Amino acid sequence: MVITIDVSILPENLRLIFDEIKRTTRTNGVNAKNKEKTITDMDGQNDKTNIITVDKDKSKIHEIKQKIKDALIKHRIKDYVVIDDIDNDNQLRIVNKAHAEKLGIYHCHHCGMAFEDQIQLSTHKRIHYFI
């Protein structure tokens, strides 16, 4: 199975951070590349989705997810987070932080760690404060 990243929600200027990920993730004969895929929705309208194909080895999905989190933190992008796609086990999605919180996933903006509720997140943030 091929691991892909859906970056369709990201503005064009933020998609440049994935050049760094594409350079560092070239394993198993798959070079990370952009691919535009046209999806037809129920109303018959076409929606272009930008998908980045990253790796063939599904066991590296957590490593790739961490690289994305690190890139978002490095570039101080706090409005977007990476989550596992609910519909596709081999796909990661970059979503707005507010959207992830509606799904019940809360992310630390210091390290990118995910939590199930705000209480766990606030306790975790205190650790960053003391360190």
Side-chain angles (χ1 to χ4, degrees), residues 66-96:
Q66 189 60 47
K67 284 183 181 183
I68 295 169
K69 287 180 182 182
D70 292 343
L72 291 171
I73 291 167
K74 178 182 174 184
H75 295 283
R76 294 184 175 97
I77 301 169
K78 296 181 181 181
D79 296 337
Y80 296 96
V81 293
V82 61
I83 62 170
D84 295 319
D85 193 349
I86 299 167
D87 301 328
N88 187 351
D89 292 341
N90 300 325
Q91 187 167 353
L92 299 171
R93 295 191 70 159
I94 309 294
V95 297
N96 192 315

Side-chain angles (χ1 to χ4, degrees), residues 26-79:
R26 295 177 192 256
T27 58
N28 293 335
V30 173
N31 290 338
K33 57 186 176 184
N34 285 343
K35 175 174 68 171
E36 270 196 18
K37 186 166 106 177
T38 303
I39 299 172
T40 305
D41 62 5
M42 295 174 76
D43 297 331
Q45 295 181 0
N46 291 334
D47 180 30
K48 286 195 175 179
T49 308
N50 199 350
I51 304 287
I52 297 174
T53 303
V54 181
D55 202 329
K56 283 187 177 179
D57 188 4
K58 188 180 182 314
S59 66
K60 294 187 178 187
I61 196 162
H62 297 294
E63 177 185 330
I64 293 166
K65 188 176 181 180
Q66 189 60 47
K67 284 183 181 183
I68 295 169
K69 287 180 182 182
D70 292 343
L72 291 171
I73 291 167
K74 178 182 174 184
H75 295 283
R76 294 184 175 97
I77 301 169
K78 296 181 181 181
D79 296 337

Side-chain angles (χ1 to χ4, degrees), residues 65-66 68-83 95-98 100-101 104-131:
K65 188 176 181 180
Q66 189 60 47
I68 295 169
K69 287 180 182 182
D70 292 343
L72 291 171
I73 291 167
K74 178 182 174 184
H75 295 283
R76 294 184 175 97
I77 301 169
K78 296 181 181 181
D79 296 337
Y80 296 96
V81 293
V82 61
I83 62 170
V95 297
N96 192 315
K97 192 172 187 175
E101 289 175 356
I105 306 168
Y106 298 88
H107 288 83
C108 174
H109 64 271
H110 295 291
C111 66
M113 195 169 176
F115 297 94
E116 295 175 0
D117 58 32
Q118 288 182 332
I119 296 170
Q120 292 175 346
L121 176 62
S122 64
T123 305
H124 172 81
K125 283 184 177 180
R126 288 183 192 146
I127 295 169
H128 283 293
Y129 177 75
F130 289 119
I131 294 177

